[in-house]
């Protein structure tokens, strides 16, 4: 892995992790589902336009369309929609930690439901990740965290895990950026329906809201996606996925720096254990080759 790939992986993890802090700022002044619907409309249209400018086609294979629809609904609408709603009442760092367990849940589900063999290093990583989450959630529950918010984040990361397992390999065949743009538009359509059913859109205009919305649309929404696909094409999906182990640390650090979210010693220990657990799982998967 060369220095360019390492820097790209660090940039991806930083951008992905920062999305929780920017989302927390957005939902403080705007209805979460309506804001996310608008974000995906802008990101999706930009993504499709850039893909077309690069010569990519929206004539996808059946497998690519299936992946586009599944991921658009489960990741963009269910996972992020529930996280945006939850962050009205819980801290960005908590949402980031729960979302960061996705690689652990993918490994666990692959073993439990798909018959995939679990190497000792991966098993140790799963145990460590579970212990780390238990440490953090135990301290937060006793500290009075909103349980409904935790539940929504939990359902969201399960939806993301299901989507990841359902579409593995289905996006092969090119047109990656077009698929991402169309996924965002699928999520936009699903969220627009949810907004009509569950929300009365409200917004309190402010400079922090405008900056956070612009940032989350362009950086985690588009730039992180471009960096991710560049990284996958350069070093492969398995090695690229190793950078996910940085997400718990970055998510918590950014929330503490920009939002002033307090962290106790038990939280820091839990984040460290989760980080090591994710790293162990990803290294185990990398060693298959």
């Amino acid at each position: 892995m060369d220095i360019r790939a390492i820097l790209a992986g660090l940039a991806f993890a930083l951008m992905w992790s920062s999305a929780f802090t920017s989302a927390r700022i957005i939902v403080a002044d705007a209805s979460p589902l309506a804001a996310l619907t608008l974000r995906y409309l802008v990101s999706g249209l930009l993504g499709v336009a850039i893909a077309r400018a690069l010569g990519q086609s929206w004539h996808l294979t059946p497998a690519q369309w299936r992946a586009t629809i599944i991921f658009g609904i489960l990741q963009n609408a269910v996972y992020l929609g529930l996280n945006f709603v939850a962050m009205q009442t819980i801290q960005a760092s908590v949402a980031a930690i729960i979302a960061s367990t996705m690689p652990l849940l993918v490994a666990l589900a692959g073993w439990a439901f798909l018959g995939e063999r679990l190497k000792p290093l991966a098993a140790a990583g799963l145990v460590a990740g579970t212990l780390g989450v238990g440490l953090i959630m135990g301290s937060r529950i006793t500290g009075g965290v909103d349980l409904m918010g935790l539940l929504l984040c939990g359902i969201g990361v399960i939806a993301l895990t299901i989507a990841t397992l359902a579409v593995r390999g289905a996006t092969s065949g090119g047109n990656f950026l077009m698929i991402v743009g169309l996924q965002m538009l699928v999520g936009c359509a699903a969220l627009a329906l949810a907004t009509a059913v569950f929300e009365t859109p409200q917004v309190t205009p402010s400079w922090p809201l405008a900056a956070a919305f612009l940032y989350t649309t362009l950086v985690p929404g588009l730039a992180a996606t471009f960096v991710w696909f560049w990284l996958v094409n350069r070093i492969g999906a398995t090695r690229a996925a190793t950078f996910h182990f940085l997400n718990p640390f970055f998510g918590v650090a950014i929330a503490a720096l920009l939002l002033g979210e307090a962290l106790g010693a038990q939280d820091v220990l839990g984040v460290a254990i989760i980080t090591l657990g994710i790293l162990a799982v990803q290294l185990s998967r990398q060693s298959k080759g």
Side-chain angles (χ1 to χ4, degrees):
M1 192 181 301
D2 58 33
I3 187 63
R4 290 180 65 189
I6 293 173
L7 292 176
L10 291 173
F12 165 75
L14 189 62
M15 289 187 287
W16 188 92
S17 302
S18 69
F20 298 93
T21 293
S22 59
R24 176 74 168 165
I25 296 172
I26 290 171
V27 301
D29 288 326
S31 303
L33 297 181
L36 193 55
T37 300
L38 181 58
R39 172 202 156 171
Y40 275 128
L41 178 62
V42 176
S43 295
L45 292 176
L46 284 174
V48 169
I50 293 171
R52 289 294 293 165
L54 294 174
Q56 295 189 12
S57 170
W58 45 48
H59 298 293
L60 309 181
T61 66
Q64 288 176 328
W65 273 118
R66 184 176 68 251
T68 297
I69 294 170
I70 291 174
F71 230 69
I73 293 174
L74 290 182
Q75 174 184 273
N76 297 340
V78 178
Y79 160 67
L80 273 177
L82 291 178
N83 270 270
F84 263 57
V85 172
M87 275 187 283
Q88 294 177 110
T89 58
I90 68 170
Q91 294 181 322
S93 56
V94 174
I97 289 167
I98 296 174
S100 296
T101 63
M102 185 272 289
L104 302 175
L105 294 177
V106 168
L108 179 61
W111 168 74
F113 301 111
L114 302 180
E116 297 181 354
R117 189 169 67 89
L118 202 61
K119 291 186 175 182
L121 182 60
L126 287 174
V127 172
T130 302
L131 290 175
V133 171
L135 273 175
I136 294 171
M137 292 305 119
S139 67
R140 297 305 174 100
I141 290 173
T142 56
V145 71
D146 179 55
L147 295 181
M148 180 56 70
L150 287 181
L151 178 62
L152 293 178
C153 287
I155 296 172
V157 76
I158 291 172
L160 180 59
T161 300
I162 294 171
T164 301
L165 291 170
V167 303
R168 283 193 298 187
T171 57
S172 60
N175 292 324
F176 291 122
L177 298 182
M178 179 62 72
I179 290 171
V180 170
L182 293 174
Q183 284 174 356
M184 292 177 179
L185 293 179
V186 170
C188 173
L191 285 164
L193 178 60
T195 300
V197 173
F198 297 111
E199 272 189 359
T200 300
Q202 297 178 341
V203 61
T204 303
S206 67
W207 286 114
L209 171 61
F213 183 85
L214 183 63
Y215 175 84
T216 196
T217 300
L218 298 180
V219 180
L222 282 177
T225 302
F226 295 161
V227 171
W228 172 253
F229 280 117
W230 181 90
L231 191 63
V232 168
N233 289 331
R234 190 173 185 88
I235 64 175
T238 301
R239 288 186 176 181
T242 305
F243 287 98
H244 278 293
F245 88 94
L246 293 169
N247 292 334
F249 170 76
F250 279 160
V252 168
I254 293 169
L257 180 64
L258 297 182
L259 301 178
E261 294 186 0
L263 290 172
Q266 192 168 329
D267 295 319
V268 174
L269 178 60
V271 168
I273 295 174
I274 294 171
T275 298
L276 292 175
I278 295 172
L279 179 60
V281 168
Q282 299 293 9
L283 289 177
S284 173
R285 296 169 68 185
Q286 182 175 323
S287 67
K288 289 181 180 180

